[in-house]
Amino acid sequence: MQRTYPDTIKLQEKPRVVELYTKLGEFASWMKRPKDAQEIQKDTRKSLPPTMLPMPF
């Protein structure tokens, strides 16, 4: 026999909500993955051109 609890969360059965939760889960797992070499090179700091640097005095 299965018990039912009044305070439990019920999952949505609507297709759009299920699709939203699925996409959110995929995005969260994508955010957790380690960066590859190309992304690391893209994120490296670049020096400013001398015209954009502040005056030293």
Side-chain angles (χ1 to χ4, degrees):
M1 180 183 275
Q2 186 178 15
R3 294 184 188 177
T4 57
Y5 298 100
D7 296 333
T8 57
I9 299 173
K10 295 181 182 178
L11 296 176
Q12 295 287 329
E13 299 291 332
K14 297 176 185 174
R16 291 190 66 178
V17 175
V18 172
E19 181 183 359
L20 172 68
Y21 291 158
T22 305
K23 288 185 178 184
L24 282 173
E26 291 171 0
F27 177 73
S29 63
W30 179 78
M31 290 297 290
K32 288 182 182 177
R33 71 170 175 72
K35 292 184 176 183
D36 58 3
Q38 184 179 9
E39 289 177 329
I40 292 172
Q41 285 181 348
K42 189 173 76 172
D43 288 346
T44 56
R45 295 184 180 196
K46 298 177 182 170
S47 60
L48 289 173
T51 56
M52 293 186 72
L53 293 174
M55 295 296 288
F57 52 91

